[in-house]
């Protein structure tokens, strides 16, 4: 159907002149078609939803539920096979079409979980996402779930059908992502065939060490006493410094070479201000030997690097987000500081200045480490950097740098000031011989 005058089309739709004899299944197909055409066709999706609502409580609507559930199941199956993971799909759905749609999508993920026995067969990271999403895999087949979802109290049937059609269009239209974990069709062997990064042991990749660092950072972020926060942060930083430097030196003897260990993770960046938060993640990664690729539409960021560096990047990014949120809360009494432009500019300026401080810290750390280890460390770090850049270029040969500007001057000043006060516990800010000797 060609795009013609909206008002004229709506008049036809309201009177049913375009689809006067359409049964509910046909209406679902029409609504799906409209939903895939883009935001300009929302009004038509709503009109189809209104028409479907008129069939509620009649036997004629049953095939429409069955058809919708079948389309949704097929779409979720397809998306998981082309690289999407549960948490990412739910996150992108909420970001793009709203929280209510995200709830329906989680129901579809639950159906897939039951059909695929994901809680038994899926990789550990996949199962952890299902647990975080509070997936109920015992609540019945997709048609039953869809009916229950559309029967929620205080929600109109028309609104429910509008969400269903929108979600169908959304899931049908999404393209592929990089496959970072085994896809469902490969799960029969995944439990007995760990990934290379899981089988390689350097002696430093210690989950207990990471858990201890996380605990210290959490305490630093939660305490109201500055001296106590500084003590926790200093201890975490000491551990992370030793962790990163020792790991780099031990990995230099790895016969597989650094390039074989470069991996990719996908980070979910929450709203609001996901753009500014993605910039903060980029700043952290840039200063810690990792590269980033931003999926703006989905509020997702791929980070590429050596596993130990990615661990530290995630820890530091999370800590800095908490600190930036606290700094914004301290300004909340000012009406100016509650404005969206101010807060976005604050976070952008914060990210830029944190990035500068981290790069300065990296230079100091490299110099200090070289003095302790002699000429052996510099080529090791250079090799790791080259390996990451080579892997990133091979994966993403055509990328475009994005410039994000802070337009609110007061927000910029406040964000830069907060960045000066932030505890950069990423493991490379302070490095001396006593750290390396212990």
């Amino acid at each position: 159907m060609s795009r013609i005058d909206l008002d004229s089309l709506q008049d036809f739709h309201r009177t049913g002149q375009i689809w006067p004899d359409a049964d509910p299944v046909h209406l679902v197909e029409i609504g799906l078609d409209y939903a895939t055409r883009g935001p300009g066709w929302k009004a038509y999706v709503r009109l189809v939803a209104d028409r479907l609502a008129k069939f509620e409580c009649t036997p004629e609507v049953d095939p429409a539920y069955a058809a919708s559930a079948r389309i949704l199941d097929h779409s979720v199956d397809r998306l998981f096979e082309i690289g999407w993971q549960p948490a990412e799909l739910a996150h992108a759905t909420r970001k793009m079409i709203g929280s209510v749609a995200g709830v329906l999508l989680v129901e579809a993920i639950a159906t897939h979980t039951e059909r695929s026995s994901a809680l038994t067969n899926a990789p550990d990271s996949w199962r952890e996402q299902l647990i975080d999403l509070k997936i109920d895999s015992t609540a019945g087949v997709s048609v039953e779930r869809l009916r229950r979802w559309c029967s929620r109290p205080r929600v109109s049937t028309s609104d429910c059908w509008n969400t269903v059609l929108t979600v169908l269009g959304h899931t049908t239209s999404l393209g592929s992502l990089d496959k970072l974990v085994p896809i469902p069709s490969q799960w029969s062997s995944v439990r007995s065939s760990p990934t290379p990064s899981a089988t390689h042991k350097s002696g430093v990749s210690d989950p207990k060490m990471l858990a201890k660092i996380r605990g210290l950072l959490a305490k630093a972020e939660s305490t109201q006493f500055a001296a106590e926060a500084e003590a926790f942060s200093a201890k975490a930083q000491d551990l992370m410094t030793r962790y990163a430097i020792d790991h780099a030196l031990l990995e230099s003897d790895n016969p597989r070479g650094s390039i074989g260990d470069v991996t990719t993770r996908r980070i979910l960046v929450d709203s609001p201000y996901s753009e500014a938060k993605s910039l903060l993640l980029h700043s952290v990664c840039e200063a810690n030997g990792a590269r980033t690729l931003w999926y703006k539409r989905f509020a997702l960021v791929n980070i590429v690097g050596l596993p130990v560096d990615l661990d530290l990047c995630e820890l530091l990014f999370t800590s800095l987000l908490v600190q930036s949120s606290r700094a914004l809360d301290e300004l909340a009494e000012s009406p100016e500081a509650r404005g969206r432009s101010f807060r976005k500019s604050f976070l952008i300026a914060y990210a830029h200045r944190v990035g500068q401080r981290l790069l300065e810290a990296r230079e100091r750390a490299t110099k200090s480490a070289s003095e302790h280890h002699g000429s052996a460390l510099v080529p090791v770090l250079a090799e790791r950097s080259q390996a990451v850049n080579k892997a990133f270029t091979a994966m993403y040969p055509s990328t475009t740098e994005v410039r994000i500007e802070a337009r609110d001057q007061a927000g910029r000043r406040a964000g830069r000031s907060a960045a000066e006060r932030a505890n950069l516990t990423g493991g490379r800010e302070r490095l001396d011989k006593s750290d390396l000797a212990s």
Side-chain angles (χ1 to χ4, degrees), residues 6 10 34-35 37-49 96-97 162 166:
L6 175 62
Q10 285 184 329
Y34 291 160
R37 292 176 181 240
W41 291 76
K42 287 183 179 179
Y44 308 138
V45 176
R46 167 59 73 178
L47 290 167
V48 176
M96 297 172 69
I97 56 176
N162 186 65
T166 301

Side-chain angles (χ1 to χ4, degrees), residues 174-243:
L174 288 175
S176 63
L177 292 177
D178 300 301
K179 297 176 182 177
L180 305 185
V181 299
I183 57 179
S185 60
Q186 300 171 338
W187 286 352
S188 59
S189 59
V190 67
R191 302 297 289 171
S192 58
S193 301
T195 59
S197 60
T199 58
H200 176 66
K201 299 295 182 183
S202 67
V204 180
S205 296
D206 182 1
K208 292 183 179 179
M209 175 74 81
L210 285 177
K212 188 172 183 179
I213 293 170
R214 287 190 183 98
L216 288 166
L217 288 174
K219 291 178 181 178
E221 292 152 9
S222 62
T223 181
Q224 300 299 314
F225 301 101
E228 190 176 46
E230 184 177 354
F232 286 134
S233 296
K235 181 60 177 176
Q237 185 168 303
D238 290 342
L239 290 175
M240 294 170 78
T241 297
R242 193 176 304 114
Y243 184 81

Side-chain angles (χ1 to χ4, degrees), residues 356-424:
Q356 291 172 348
R357 287 187 62 194
L358 286 170
L359 288 171
E360 292 164 1
R362 182 182 185 182
E363 291 177 3
R364 293 195 301 270
T366 301
K367 180 180 178 181
S368 181
S370 297
E371 291 173 356
H372 181 76
H373 291 284
S375 59
L377 181 60
V378 173
V380 169
L381 297 180
E383 180 185 358
R384 289 163 69 88
S385 178
Q386 292 169 4
V388 172
N389 290 333
K390 183 176 180 180
F392 185 88
T393 301
M395 294 169 62
Y396 313 113
S398 300
T399 59
T400 303
E401 290 190 3
V402 178
R403 183 177 180 82
I404 304 173
E405 297 183 354
R407 301 185 182 278
D408 187 289
Q409 295 299 320
R412 288 176 58 182
R413 289 192 298 270
R416 187 176 180 88
S417 176
E420 296 290 355
R421 301 191 302 270
N423 292 317
L424 304 183

Side-chain angles (χ1 to χ4, degrees), residues 197 258-265 285 288-292 302-311 313 384-385 387-389 391-392 395:
S197 60
S258 295
I259 190 65
D261 283 332
V262 175
T263 188
T264 302
R265 298 180 192 173
C285 289
N288 286 277
R291 300 285 300 274
T292 60
N302 275 12
I303 58 174
V304 181
L306 279 300
V308 64
D309 294 326
L310 298 188
D311 288 339
C313 285
R384 289 163 69 88
S385 178
V388 172
N389 290 333
F392 185 88
M395 294 169 62

Side-chain angles (χ1 to χ4, degrees), residues 39 42 87-107 109 133 149 152 159-160 162-171 174 271 297-299:
K42 287 183 179 179
E88 300 164 355
L89 185 52
H91 171 81
T93 301
R94 290 191 295 267
K95 165 72 175 176
M96 297 172 69
I97 56 176
S99 58
V100 176
V103 174
L104 176 57
L105 204 283
V106 168
E107 290 289 339
I109 293 172
L133 290 171
W149 189 87
R152 292 166 299 151
D159 285 346
C160 289
N162 186 65
T163 301
V164 169
L165 296 174
T166 301
V167 169
L168 294 182
H170 166 72
T171 55
L174 288 175
S271 298
R297 183 184 176 204
F298 308 135

Side-chain angles (χ1 to χ4, degrees), residues 273 328-329 331-344:
Y273 318 114
L328 272 174
D329 288 343
L331 300 171
E333 292 184 2
S334 166
E336 179 185 45
R338 290 195 292 268
R340 185 174 181 84
S341 178
F342 178 97
R343 298 175 79 84
K344 180 179 178 180

